[in-house]
């Protein structure tokens, strides 16, 4: 499982991408400052911080543009055990941004503990809890008018 997880920082989010790019793993980009724009499956999205972009396997990203103030982080993982069905692009509150940052820091810390015999299980459960919570947040937002 750990070999299927990649953590991205601001400078590495676009590293190695050539467009168009077909998404192979669940990819979550968290925008902490600045703006992020992308063309996915012929639909344009533009997000200002704080926000999240969630890409799913099989989608085609035609382009990604980051403004000069962009900062953020990302997590790339296999879809196994994750119950994510739709691409999501949405603004988040500072509270949700704190939760996303916390999960990222926890996973990063665990990945740097090779002697921890439980780290794979801990990460798996962190992702499960994270995406269940994110799903609850998103379903609540879907009943409200979109600002994008």
């Amino acid at each position: 499982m750990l070999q299927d997880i990649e953590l991205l920082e601001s400078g590495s989010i676009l590293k190695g991408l050539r467009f168009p790019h077909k998404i192979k793993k669940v990819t979550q980009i968290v925008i902490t400052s600045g703006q992020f724009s992308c063309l996915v499956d012929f639909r344009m999205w533009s997000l200002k911080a704080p926000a999240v972009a969630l890409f799913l396997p099989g989608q085609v990203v035609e382009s990604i543009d980051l403004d000069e103030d962009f900062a953020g982080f990302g997590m790339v993982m296999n879809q196994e055990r994750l119950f994510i069905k739709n691409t999501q692009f949405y603004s988040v509150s500072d509270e949700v941004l704190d939760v996303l940052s916390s999960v990222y820091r926890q996973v990063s810390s665990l990945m740097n503990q090779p002697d921890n015999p439980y780290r794979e299980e801990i990460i798996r459960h962190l992702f499960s809890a994270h995406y269940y919570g994110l799903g609850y947040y998103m379903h609540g937002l879907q009943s409200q008018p979109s600002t994008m």
Side-chain angles (χ1 to χ4, degrees):
M1 175 186 179
L2 293 179
Q3 64 276 12
D4 296 327
I5 298 171
E6 184 180 353
L7 299 179
L8 308 171
E9 296 183 18
S10 289
S12 65
I13 287 178
L14 296 179
K15 186 177 180 181
L17 289 182
R18 292 192 323 213
F19 297 104
H21 177 78
K22 187 171 184 175
I23 300 294
K24 293 183 176 99
K25 296 180 180 181
V26 173
T27 303
Q28 175 181 291
I29 305 296
V30 179
I31 301 104
T32 58
S33 68
Q35 187 166 325
F36 174 98
S37 300
C38 61
L39 180 61
V40 180
D41 293 338
F42 304 107
R43 187 164 179 193
M44 180 56 94
W45 297 91
S46 184
L47 300 167
K48 288 186 179 183
V52 173
L54 185 63
F55 303 94
L56 298 179
Q59 294 184 305
V60 176
V61 179
E62 295 288 331
S63 66
I64 294 178
D65 293 310
L66 309 174
D67 74 1
E68 63 275 354
D69 297 327
F70 175 84
F73 57 90
M75 293 186 280
V76 179
M77 69 213 81
N78 277 338
Q79 194 167 359
E80 295 175 4
R81 299 186 185 110
L82 297 178
F83 304 102
I84 303 168
K85 295 185 173 133
N86 297 320
T87 299
Q88 305 289 331
F89 296 89
Y90 48 92
S91 297
V92 297
S93 67
D94 287 334
E95 180 180 51
V96 171
L97 183 61
D98 289 342
V99 170
L100 295 168
S101 297
S102 176
V103 169
Y104 180 86
R105 285 190 309 272
Q106 289 173 12
V107 170
S108 178
S109 174
L110 284 162
M111 288 180 75
N112 290 318
Q113 296 175 16
D115 59 331
N116 184 338
Y118 306 108
R119 72 183 179 151
E120 196 166 312
E121 288 299 309
I122 294 168
I123 290 172
R124 185 171 60 82
H125 289 292
L126 269 172
F127 280 148
S128 292
H130 168 68
Y131 283 107
Y132 275 119
L134 200 56
Y136 171 78
Y137 176 79
M138 278 310 303
H139 291 295
L141 277 183
Q142 289 174 355
S143 63
Q144 300 172 3
S146 176
T147 58
M148 289 177 252

